[in-house]
mmCIF file of all heavy atoms in Angstrom:
data_model
loop_
_atom_site.group_PDB
_atom_site.id
_atom_site.type_symbol
_atom_site.label_atom_id
_atom_site.label_comp_id
_atom_site.label_asym_id
_atom_site.label_seq_id
_atom_site.Cartn_x
_atom_site.Cartn_y
_atom_site.Cartn_z
ATOM 1 N N ALA A 319 -91.688 -29.215 112.210
ATOM 2 C CA ALA A 319 -92.253 -29.444 113.534
ATOM 3 C C ALA A 319 -91.713 -30.719 114.163
ATOM 4 O O ALA A 319 -91.552 -30.798 115.386
ATOM 5 C CB ALA A 319 -93.781 -29.509 113.449
ATOM 6 N N ALA A 320 -91.416 -31.709 113.326
ATOM 7 C CA ALA A 320 -90.910 -32.985 113.828
ATOM 8 C C ALA A 320 -89.403 -32.960 114.040
ATOM 9 O O ALA A 320 -88.830 -33.936 114.545
ATOM 10 C CB ALA A 320 -91.271 -34.103 112.864
ATOM 11 N N GLY A 321 -88.763 -31.876 113.650
ATOM 12 C CA GLY A 321 -87.323 -31.774 113.819
ATOM 13 C C GLY A 321 -86.536 -32.682 112.897
ATOM 14 O O GLY A 321 -85.449 -33.135 113.222
ATOM 15 N N THR A 322 -87.091 -32.943 111.715
ATOM 16 C CA THR A 322 -86.400 -33.788 110.756
ATOM 17 C C THR A 322 -86.481 -33.143 109.380
ATOM 18 O O THR A 322 -86.939 -32.003 109.241
ATOM 19 C CB THR A 322 -87.002 -35.211 110.739
ATOM 20 O OG1 THR A 322 -86.182 -36.055 109.938
ATOM 21 C CG2 THR A 322 -88.436 -35.214 110.214
ATOM 22 N N SER A 323 -86.025 -33.852 108.364
ATOM 23 C CA SER A 323 -86.025 -33.299 107.016
ATOM 24 C C SER A 323 -86.226 -34.431 106.015
ATOM 25 O O SER A 323 -86.102 -35.616 106.352
ATOM 26 C CB SER A 323 -84.714 -32.565 106.721
ATOM 27 O OG SER A 323 -83.621 -33.472 106.783
ATOM 28 N N ILE A 324 -86.507 -34.042 104.790
ATOM 29 C CA ILE A 324 -86.748 -35.030 103.740
ATOM 30 C C ILE A 324 -86.339 -34.434 102.400
ATOM 31 O O ILE A 324 -86.453 -33.218 102.183
ATOM 32 C CB ILE A 324 -88.239 -35.456 103.732
ATOM 33 C CG1 ILE A 324 -88.452 -36.710 102.899
ATOM 34 C CG2 ILE A 324 -89.134 -34.322 103.225
ATOM 35 C CD1 ILE A 324 -89.838 -37.320 103.061
ATOM 36 N N ASP A 325 -85.834 -35.270 101.513
ATOM 37 C CA ASP A 325 -85.516 -34.838 100.150
ATOM 38 C C ASP A 325 -86.807 -34.829 99.326
ATOM 39 O O ASP A 325 -87.646 -35.726 99.460
ATOM 40 C CB ASP A 325 -84.522 -35.801 99.502
ATOM 41 C CG ASP A 325 -83.111 -35.640 100.041
ATOM 42 O OD1 ASP A 325 -82.938 -34.926 101.051
ATOM 43 O OD2 ASP A 325 -82.192 -36.226 99.455
ATOM 44 N N VAL A 326 -86.930 -33.825 98.475
ATOM 45 C CA VAL A 326 -88.121 -33.719 97.629
ATOM 46 C C VAL A 326 -87.684 -33.574 96.176
ATOM 47 O O VAL A 326 -86.842 -32.739 95.849
ATOM 48 C CB VAL A 326 -89.012 -32.535 98.042
ATOM 49 C CG1 VAL A 326 -90.219 -32.433 97.109
ATOM 50 C CG2 VAL A 326 -89.469 -32.692 99.487
ATOM 51 N N VAL A 327 -88.264 -34.409 95.332
ATOM 52 C CA VAL A 327 -87.987 -34.405 93.900
ATOM 53 C C VAL A 327 -89.214 -33.846 93.187
ATOM 54 O O VAL A 327 -90.335 -34.308 93.421
ATOM 55 C CB VAL A 327 -87.683 -35.839 93.409
ATOM 56 C CG1 VAL A 327 -87.511 -35.878 91.901
ATOM 57 C CG2 VAL A 327 -86.441 -36.390 94.099
ATOM 58 N N LEU A 328 -89.018 -32.831 92.355
ATOM 59 C CA LEU A 328 -90.141 -32.241 91.643
ATOM 60 C C LEU A 328 -90.612 -33.183 90.537
ATOM 61 O O LEU A 328 -89.826 -33.624 89.695
ATOM 62 C CB LEU A 328 -89.742 -30.900 91.031
ATOM 63 C CG LEU A 328 -90.854 -30.175 90.258
ATOM 64 C CD1 LEU A 328 -91.988 -29.762 91.184
ATOM 65 C CD2 LEU A 328 -90.306 -28.975 89.502
ATOM 66 N N ASP A 329 -91.895 -33.506 90.550
ATOM 67 C CA ASP A 329 -92.487 -34.386 89.547
ATOM 68 C C ASP A 329 -92.818 -33.575 88.301
ATOM 69 O O ASP A 329 -93.546 -32.581 88.365
ATOM 70 C CB ASP A 329 -93.748 -35.032 90.121
ATOM 71 C CG ASP A 329 -94.199 -36.239 89.314
ATOM 72 O OD1 ASP A 329 -93.367 -36.831 88.616
ATOM 73 O OD2 ASP A 329 -95.394 -36.593 89.401
ATOM 74 N N ILE A 330 -92.268 -34.008 87.160
ATOM 75 C CA ILE A 330 -92.490 -33.331 85.882
ATOM 76 C C ILE A 330 -93.527 -34.111 85.073
ATOM 77 O O ILE A 330 -93.500 -35.341 85.024
ATOM 78 C CB ILE A 330 -91.174 -33.223 85.089
ATOM 79 C CG1 ILE A 330 -90.153 -32.361 85.839
ATOM 80 C CG2 ILE A 330 -91.406 -32.666 83.695
ATOM 81 C CD1 ILE A 330 -90.587 -30.933 86.049
ATOM 82 N N ASN A 331 -94.426 -33.400 84.421
ATOM 83 C CA ASN A 331 -95.432 -34.009 83.559
ATOM 84 C C ASN A 331 -94.933 -33.970 82.108
ATOM 85 O O ASN A 331 -94.936 -32.930 81.484
ATOM 86 C CB ASN A 331 -96.755 -33.249 83.677
ATOM 87 C CG ASN A 331 -97.833 -33.821 82.761
ATOM 88 O OD1 ASN A 331 -97.638 -34.829 82.091
ATOM 89 N ND2 ASN A 331 -98.978 -33.160 82.715
ATOM 90 N N PRO A 332 -94.504 -35.126 81.562
ATOM 91 C CA PRO A 332 -93.980 -35.136 80.198
ATOM 92 C C PRO A 332 -95.051 -35.360 79.129
ATOM 93 O O PRO A 332 -94.736 -35.622 77.969
ATOM 94 C CB PRO A 332 -93.008 -36.315 80.234
ATOM 95 C CG PRO A 332 -93.660 -37.271 81.174
ATOM 96 C CD PRO A 332 -94.381 -36.440 82.218
ATOM 97 N N GLY A 333 -96.331 -35.298 79.545
ATOM 98 C CA GLY A 333 -97.417 -35.516 78.610
ATOM 99 C C GLY A 333 -98.309 -36.674 78.976
ATOM 100 O O GLY A 333 -99.303 -36.942 78.301
ATOM 101 N N ARG A 334 -97.996 -37.365 80.052
ATOM 102 C CA ARG A 334 -98.839 -38.469 80.510
ATOM 103 C C ARG A 334 -100.100 -37.944 81.175
ATOM 104 O O ARG A 334 -101.139 -38.620 81.194
ATOM 105 C CB ARG A 334 -98.048 -39.353 81.486
ATOM 106 C CG ARG A 334 -98.788 -40.607 81.929
ATOM 107 C CD ARG A 334 -97.870 -41.533 82.723
ATOM 108 N NE ARG A 334 -98.546 -42.674 83.297
ATOM 109 C CZ ARG A 334 -98.875 -43.778 82.632
ATOM 110 N NH1 ARG A 334 -98.578 -43.877 81.353
ATOM 111 N NH2 ARG A 334 -99.497 -44.785 83.232
ATOM 112 N N ASP A 335 -100.013 -36.761 81.768
ATOM 113 C CA ASP A 335 -101.164 -36.096 82.408
ATOM 114 C C ASP A 335 -101.744 -36.914 83.548
ATOM 115 O O ASP A 335 -102.967 -36.953 83.746
ATOM 116 C CB ASP A 335 -102.255 -35.776 81.373
ATOM 117 C CG ASP A 335 -101.798 -34.760 80.341
ATOM 118 O OD1 ASP A 335 -100.822 -34.021 80.614
ATOM 119 O OD2 ASP A 335 -102.408 -34.690 79.252
ATOM 120 N N ARG A 336 -100.876 -37.539 84.304
ATOM 121 C CA ARG A 336 -101.300 -38.270 85.493
ATOM 122 C C ARG A 336 -100.917 -37.494 86.752
ATOM 123 O O ARG A 336 -101.739 -37.271 87.631
ATOM 124 C CB ARG A 336 -100.673 -39.675 85.503
ATOM 125 C CG ARG A 336 -101.115 -40.535 86.679
ATOM 126 C CD ARG A 336 -100.509 -41.923 86.626
ATOM 127 N NE ARG A 336 -99.075 -41.925 86.897
ATOM 128 C CZ ARG A 336 -98.338 -43.033 86.940
ATOM 129 N NH1 ARG A 336 -98.888 -44.210 86.693
ATOM 130 N NH2 ARG A 336 -97.048 -42.957 87.199
ATOM 131 N N THR A 337 -99.671 -37.109 86.843
ATOM 132 C CA THR A 337 -99.170 -36.237 87.909
ATOM 133 C C THR A 337 -98.097 -35.344 87.307
ATOM 134 O O THR A 337 -97.687 -35.515 86.159
ATOM 135 C CB THR A 337 -98.538 -37.039 89.076
ATOM 136 O OG1 THR A 337 -97.412 -37.764 88.569
ATOM 137 C CG2 THR A 337 -99.533 -37.995 89.704
ATOM 138 N N GLY A 338 -97.629 -34.391 88.114
ATOM 139 C CA GLY A 338 -96.503 -33.581 87.688
ATOM 140 C C GLY A 338 -96.882 -32.243 87.098
ATOM 141 O O GLY A 338 -98.043 -31.983 86.768
ATOM 142 N N LEU A 339 -95.865 -31.389 86.960
ATOM 143 C CA LEU A 339 -96.022 -30.073 86.376
ATOM 144 C C LEU A 339 -95.331 -30.025 85.023
ATOM 145 O O LEU A 339 -94.261 -30.616 84.845
ATOM 146 C CB LEU A 339 -95.398 -29.007 87.288
ATOM 147 C CG LEU A 339 -96.090 -28.777 88.633
ATOM 148 C CD1 LEU A 339 -95.234 -27.872 89.514
ATOM 149 C CD2 LEU A 339 -97.475 -28.166 88.421
ATOM 150 N N PRO A 340 -95.915 -29.320 84.059
ATOM 151 C CA PRO A 340 -95.225 -29.179 82.776
ATOM 152 C C PRO A 340 -93.984 -28.309 82.940
ATOM 153 O O PRO A 340 -93.916 -27.465 83.841
ATOM 154 C CB PRO A 340 -96.276 -28.496 81.885
ATOM 155 C CG PRO A 340 -97.155 -27.758 82.850
ATOM 156 C CD PRO A 340 -97.201 -28.596 84.091
ATOM 157 N N LEU A 341 -93.022 -28.527 82.091
ATOM 158 C CA LEU A 341 -91.838 -27.679 82.113
ATOM 159 C C LEU A 341 -92.240 -26.230 81.883
ATOM 160 O O LEU A 341 -93.086 -25.929 81.040
ATOM 161 C CB LEU A 341 -90.853 -28.119 81.025
ATOM 162 C CG LEU A 341 -90.285 -29.537 81.153
ATOM 163 C CD1 LEU A 341 -89.445 -29.869 79.930
ATOM 164 C CD2 LEU A 341 -89.462 -29.668 82.425
#
Side-chain angles (χ1 to χ4, degrees):
T322 188
S323 62
I324 194 169
D325 286 10
V326 178
V327 175
L328 180 65
D329 196 23
I330 297 298
N331 178 4
R334 185 172 174 79
D335 295 340
R336 183 178 70 178
T337 62
L339 293 171
L341 298 174

